[in-house]
Amino acid sequence: MKTLVIAEKPDMGRNIAAVIEPKAQNKRSYLEGDNYIITWAIGHLIGLAEPDLYDDKYKKWRFGDLPIIPETFKLLPNPRTKDQLEVIKDLAARSDALVNACDAGREGQHIFSLIVRHLHLRQPVKRLWISDLTAETIRKGFDQLKDNTEYDNLTQAARARSEADWLIGMNGSRAFTTKHNELLSVGRVQTPVLALIYDRQKQIEAFDSLKFYDITGQFTQQATTYRGIWQGERLTDPEKAEVIAAKVKDKTGSITSYEVKDTKEYPFKLYDLTLLQREANGKFSFSAKKTLDTAQALYEKHKVISYPRTNSNYVNDQNIPEMHKILDSMRSSPDYGDFVKDANKKFVSTSNKNICNPAKVEDHHAIMPTMKKPQGLSPDERKLYDLIVKRFLSHFYPAAEYKVHTVMTEVEKESFKTTVKQLLSLGWKVIYADSSKSSAVKDNGKDNGKDEGAGTPEDEEQETDAPFEIDPQQPVVCSDVEVKAKETQPPKHFTEGTLLKAMESAGKQIEDEELRDAMKDSGLGTPATRAATIERLKQVGYIDMQGKKIVITPKGRTAIELIRGAGVELLTSPEMTGHWERRLTEISRGQASADAFMGNVKKFTCQIIEKVNHQRPAAKNAFARPEPPAKEARGKRKPAGDSGGKAESSAPKKARSSAAADTASSPQSAAQPGTIGSCPRPGCGGQIFMGRKGYGCSNYKTGCGFVIWKESFDRTLTDTMVKALIEKGKTSKLKFAGNGDEEAFEARIVLNNADTGELVLERV
């Protein structure tokens, strides 16, 4: 008999077959050779059954039937992929051994274990655990197959995660939905993430801007000119600021303090998935899901990067020789060959703890390129691959070197501070020197741990590659002075990039890298699931995208207020849910009990039901978006009923508000003024109208959530632009002003999601 190899997806199975059975016959749903049969799971073939498979009474959502806590969870094949499950069953019947070749991580382990449980497979199982799909790695992996029982703890953690999510999601959603007569989705991870967005929104709304005045002096000493920021308590009176400015202008002063310090900046850490998603969001406006899907294609289809769903920024000792080989393989690359020529392998060694730190590598090392040369990459795949390769190459270069000059200047007893960062050597930043005119001396990895917009205050640090020479013994003249009015700024809305950072650290705004690394085990979700959580919040109508900004909807806002109002704040707590995620990690390491974890989850499920039971139902209009005043009579509109979908039909009947309610005009026929065009949402059939804040669909009352906001990407969209978006999927080429040091650029606005109206920028 033969050994059956079960991969997670078809591409992965074919890659494996090409190495271990190169002459295998292609049977479409599997490949068969002399010793191995290779097939695949196509993702999740099996899931946990819905409540109605435990009892018919659960087909109706009734509060009195809660909580639903199965003694044993039933498994249910996915009807769309049941044929492939039958293939695996038949192939297993003529195999005497199995190889688990699903993705090397918690979810891959879970997918395989569900197949084994559902089909009652009894064959001995070996585990293929690899980090990339190159032929060399696959061959080495099969030479070093481990017994699958070594991963029993990981299997238990995966099962506990799945069943815990079922308990919280099924019971929480049914409890809040039936109590408040509105379809409310509740989840162990999604709800605390929504709470992060809610709390940020409240901070923004409560923010009271304060106007203040900065005084900047320009000082001259012989051939050297420099700026200095006035030092003192924040000035809110413009007259006081002008008095100081007049007092020092054209006056002679002295240097009271002058320090020079040599500093070095080392390359940024190698990417884990979350950091890659954050940076791709910041640079290219990629959603977290788009980055994950693109990285997965680079790994699985093109085989040019290592396993992307990793939470590590480091490598193991044995990866160092591999990194040297990868560097050598790029010597002839037209894009990276020049960088390889100047690279030095001595910087990538086991003694460099910025790269090699086995204690911080668990299932997988950091994302790296492989030795395979890229071919046929799409533009988006090329962008992401370029990020990964340049981050990899940067570690083969020395640190960037600077002299930091700190000068305190006093004029008429008023002090001014100057910080000049003088570039001595670009070092690794030479790799990014062509990316933008300023990247040679500035942080090229903007989103490497700081929130968007964070950093050195404007004008406080001056960067130069010219020598800075000053004599502290000689006088200086305040040749000019400027008073600039400023305002304190509210917290920024989350982008997907900054939200991912908050999820990674369970909402804690931690700047210390070591502490942030320690929090990775207690973040919200995992690198592999965070993108799906954000997408879920969009799908259920809790958040909208306005350009790159994430904004909470009235439905999302009310959901959090109801959950907290019920007294189950724990369900919205990022830190507590983060601790649950850490406990799952401990289960996977054999340091905690899955049974004890599930016992606590069941207790908490019962607490949710008990608390909601005592809550007053929400007001009927609690979830509605504010609608524009109606000129036509709305009474002629037919009341909206259920959409007919599975979740809707099992929930109480009601008219459901959608994103378009805040944007669409009153109902009009396609021939009436104000119609922009037909709604691009598949199967909708509605018309797009211009409202007060955006362009929405006439079918918003019956569930269409399509919205294009007028104010997007710092510009006001026109009817012509929106017409192009809904008919062609993109606008013509537009000019955009750069931010800060970024130059102006040209781009098209592209309709990224026809279901929601989400837009992205596509640079040209």
Side-chain angles (χ1 to χ4, degrees):
M1 296 182 82
K2 299 178 181 180
T3 297
L4 177 62
V5 179
I6 302 175
E8 189 161 323
K9 294 178 183 174
D11 278 351
M12 186 184 296
R14 294 186 184 103
N15 289 330
I16 291 170
V19 175
I20 63 171
E21 287 284 8
K23 296 180 180 179
Q25 289 183 293
N26 189 344
K27 306 284 189 176
R28 292 191 63 188
S29 53
Y30 65 96
L31 296 109
E32 184 164 359
D34 294 336
N35 300 305
Y36 293 99
I37 306 171
I38 302 96
T39 190
W40 38 82
I42 323 180
H44 283 270
L45 298 181
I46 300 163
L48 298 181
E50 296 281 323
D52 56 7
L53 285 184
Y54 294 89
D55 194 316
D56 281 345
K57 70 180 181 180
Y58 294 138
K59 288 180 179 178
K60 295 287 185 182
W61 288 30
R62 285 185 290 258
F63 193 93
D65 292 332
L66 302 177
I68 305 169
I69 302 180
E71 285 188 22
T72 303
F73 285 84
K74 294 183 178 181
L75 302 182
L76 182 69
N78 184 336
R80 291 178 298 176
T81 54
K82 63 180 181 181
D83 290 345
Q84 185 62 19
L85 187 62
E86 281 297 313
V87 168
I88 294 175
K89 180 180 179 181
D90 294 342
L91 296 176
R94 54 191 186 90
S95 304
D96 60 358
L98 305 176
V99 173
N100 175 4
C102 292
D103 276 0
R106 191 170 76 186
E107 283 309 297
Q109 195 70 15
H110 187 49
I111 287 169
F112 182 85
S113 69
L114 288 175
I115 293 170
V116 170
R117 281 168 56 197
H118 182 72
L119 296 179
H120 304 291
L121 304 183
R122 296 288 180 263
Q123 295 93 328
V125 180
K126 295 291 184 181
R127 185 49 157 123
L128 176 70
W129 194 274
I130 55 177
S131 287
D132 66 61
L133 291 173
T134 58
E136 182 182 353
T137 300
I138 292 170
R139 195 174 292 112
K140 186 177 179 181
F142 269 86
D143 288 341
Q144 300 174 351
L145 289 175
K146 296 184 178 180
D147 198 289
N148 197 56
T149 56
E150 292 185 33
Y151 298 89
D152 282 351
N153 291 329
L154 187 62
T155 303
Q156 286 185 38
R159 181 171 180 172
R161 193 279 309 158
S162 175
E163 294 178 356
D165 285 349
W166 192 100
L167 287 171
I168 299 298
M170 289 293 179
N171 286 282
S173 298
R174 288 187 176 219
F176 282 99
T177 294
T178 53
K179 189 69 175 182
H180 302 294
N181 201 38
E182 173 75 20
L183 189 63
L184 295 175
S185 178
V186 173
R188 184 182 64 89
V189 176
Q190 76 172 47
T191 300
V193 174
L194 180 62
L196 286 177
I197 300 166
Y198 173 90
D199 290 340
R200 176 65 60 89
Q201 185 72 35
K202 295 291 281 186
Q203 289 172 4
I204 293 169
E205 292 168 359
F207 184 81
D208 190 10
S209 182
L210 174 69
K211 198 167 188 176
F212 65 97
Y213 299 86
D214 268 357
I215 305 172
T216 304
Q218 183 164 298
F219 303 98
T220 304
Q221 185 191 77
Q222 298 177 353
T224 300
T225 299
Y226 62 92
R227 295 191 312 273
I229 307 295
W230 179 78
Q231 303 296 292
E233 291 185 6
R234 177 173 280 173
L235 294 171
T236 56
D237 184 344
E239 292 184 4
K240 287 184 179 179
E242 293 293 350
V243 166
I244 294 171
K247 178 182 175 183
V248 300
K249 187 174 182 183
D250 297 327
K251 298 296 196 318
T252 299
S254 61
I255 295 172
T256 58
S257 172
Y258 178 42
E259 294 180 359
V260 182
K261 183 180 179 182
D262 290 325
T263 65
K264 292 183 178 183
E265 288 186 12
Y266 292 92
F268 300 119
K269 290 178 181 178
L270 294 168
Y271 288 118
D272 61 6
L273 176 60
T274 302
L275 185 55
L276 182 64
Q277 288 170 318
R278 284 165 47 196
E279 189 154 332
N281 180 255
K283 288 181 179 293
F284 312 128
S285 298
F286 285 5
S287 69
K289 182 180 185 300
K290 181 172 182 176
T291 299
L292 175 57
D293 291 345
T294 305
Q296 194 69 21
L298 291 172
Y299 164 67
E300 197 170 293
K301 178 182 176 184
H302 299 289
K303 301 186 282 295
V304 293
I305 67 168
S306 62
Y307 184 73
R309 300 176 185 233
T310 175
N311 68 345
S312 177
N313 304 103
Y314 302 92
V315 301
N316 288 309
D317 292 358
Q318 59 265 36
N319 297 125
I320 298 300
E322 178 189 357
M323 292 177 74
H324 292 175
K325 289 180 183 178
I326 294 168
L327 179 74
D328 289 336
S329 73
M330 293 183 176
R331 289 193 183 279
S332 59
S333 166
D335 297 312
Y336 308 111
D338 288 344
F339 296 133
V340 175
K341 181 178 63 178
D342 296 326
N344 192 329
K345 292 178 182 176
K346 76 175 184 180
F347 294 114
V348 176
S349 67
T350 54
S351 60
N352 184 346
K353 295 306 177 187
N354 194 38
I355 305 169
C356 185
N357 195 334
K360 294 184 178 180
V361 180
E362 293 183 16
D363 296 342
H364 296 282
H365 57 68
I367 302 171
M368 300 191 301
T370 67
M371 286 188 284
K372 193 173 190 308
K373 291 179 170 56
Q375 291 182 328
L377 301 187
S378 71
D380 288 341
E381 289 168 347
R382 168 61 63 183
K383 288 177 183 176
L384 210 63
Y385 180 70
D386 186 66
L387 283 183
I388 294 165
V389 171
K390 285 183 174 176
R391 182 62 60 93
F392 171 82
L393 290 172
S394 69
H395 285 274
F396 289 90
Y397 278 74
E401 297 181 8
Y402 298 88
K403 273 190 186 298
V404 179
H405 305 258
T406 305
V407 185
M408 295 299 296
T409 306
E410 187 175 285
V411 182
E412 298 294 313
K413 297 186 178 179
E414 302 291 346
S415 289
F416 295 80
K417 182 178 181 181
T418 302
T419 305
V420 175
K421 189 176 180 183
Q422 178 191 348
L423 174 69
L424 302 177
S425 172
L426 267 176
W428 61 273
K429 292 190 177 184
V430 71
I431 290 173
Y432 300 98
D434 294 333
S435 299
S436 71
K437 67 178 183 179
S438 64
S439 61
V441 291
K442 288 199 173 185
D443 179 349
N444 191 66
K446 259 190 236 178
D447 199 10
N448 283 275
K450 292 183 179 180
D451 279 335
E452 192 177 330
T456 306
E458 183 185 358
D459 295 335
E460 184 146 328
E461 185 174 82
Q462 304 158 48
E463 297 192 7
T464 180
D465 55 4
F468 181 79
E469 296 179 358
I470 196 165
D471 185 346
Q473 306 303 321
Q474 296 298 316
V476 296
V477 175
C478 181
S479 54
D480 198 7
V481 65
E482 179 185 19
V483 175
K484 188 180 289 187
K486 295 184 177 181
E487 288 187 0
T488 54
Q489 297 299 308
K492 290 183 177 291
H493 282 88
F494 280 118
T495 64
E496 289 203 26
T498 55
L499 181 59
L500 284 166
K501 175 192 169 185
M503 292 170 73
E504 183 180 54
S505 57
K508 293 183 182 295
Q509 299 306 304
I510 301 168
E511 291 302 327
D512 182 86
E513 283 194 357
E514 288 190 13
L515 187 55
R516 197 163 62 242
D517 283 345
M519 284 296 296
K520 279 191 177 182
D521 286 347
S522 56
L524 295 175
T526 66
T529 62
R530 286 173 189 142
T533 299
I534 296 173
E535 291 301 309
R536 175 68 178 163
L537 293 175
K538 296 175 188 176
Q539 291 163 5
V540 299
Y542 285 160
I543 62 172
D544 284 333
M545 301 301 299
Q546 291 183 9
K548 284 172 64 175
K549 291 193 305 187
I550 297 173
V551 293
I552 195 165
T553 65
K555 182 176 180 179
R557 184 190 295 259
T558 304
I560 290 298
E561 289 170 353
L562 286 173
I563 292 168
R564 286 177 170 165
V568 283
E569 295 90 342
L570 196 64
L571 190 54
T572 67
S573 166
E575 288 84 359
M576 182 56 66
T577 308
H579 291 321
W580 291 2
E581 200 67 51
R582 181 170 63 185
R583 188 56 48 86
L584 289 168
T585 301
E586 291 171 351
I587 292 168
S588 70
R589 296 170 180 164
Q591 299 166 347
S593 162
D595 289 341
F597 171 78
M598 288 304 299
N600 288 329
V601 172
K602 289 173 183 177
K603 286 179 187 175
F604 184 54
T605 301
C606 294
Q607 288 174 15
I608 293 172
I609 306 306
E610 183 183 348
K611 296 281 189 181
V612 176
N613 188 35
H614 293 97
Q615 192 174 30
R616 293 178 62 183
K620 289 183 178 180
N621 63 349
F623 304 93
R625 292 175 180 267
E627 296 185 28
K631 292 183 181 178
E632 292 86 3
R634 289 181 178 265
K636 295 178 182 178
R637 181 188 292 257
K638 292 181 180 179
D642 281 355
S643 67
K646 186 172 184 181
E648 295 282 345
S649 63
S650 59
K653 292 184 178 181
K654 67 187 79 63
R656 309 196 188 282
S657 61
S658 84
D662 194 33
T663 59
S665 304
S666 50
Q668 305 173 50
S669 70
Q672 287 179 299
T675 302
I676 305 299
S678 299
C679 180
R681 182 169 172 259
C684 174
Q687 295 293 314
I688 300 299
F689 301 100
M690 182 179 75
R692 290 176 303 163
K693 296 183 180 179
Y695 296 81
C697 179
S698 59
N699 285 344
Y700 70 88
K701 281 288 188 181
T702 52
C704 182
F706 184 89
V707 178
I708 292 178
W709 299 102
K710 283 184 187 176
E711 300 297 327
S712 295
F713 305 109
D714 295 323
R715 70 189 305 145
T716 302
L717 303 190
T718 65
D719 289 359
T720 303
M721 291 178 188
V722 175
K723 189 174 179 64
L725 284 165
I726 63 178
E727 292 180 355
K728 300 176 183 176
K730 58 181 154 184
T731 65
S732 57
K733 197 185 299 182
L734 304 168
K735 286 190 175 180
F736 290 83
N739 293 321
D741 292 302
E742 183 184 28
E743 293 181 318
F745 60 92
E746 291 186 334
R748 290 184 175 89
I749 300 175
V750 177
L751 180 61
N752 191 49
N753 188 329
D755 286 332
T756 64
E758 177 194 2
L759 305 176
V760 296
L761 270 188
E762 186 179 87
R763 298 200 185 204
V764 293

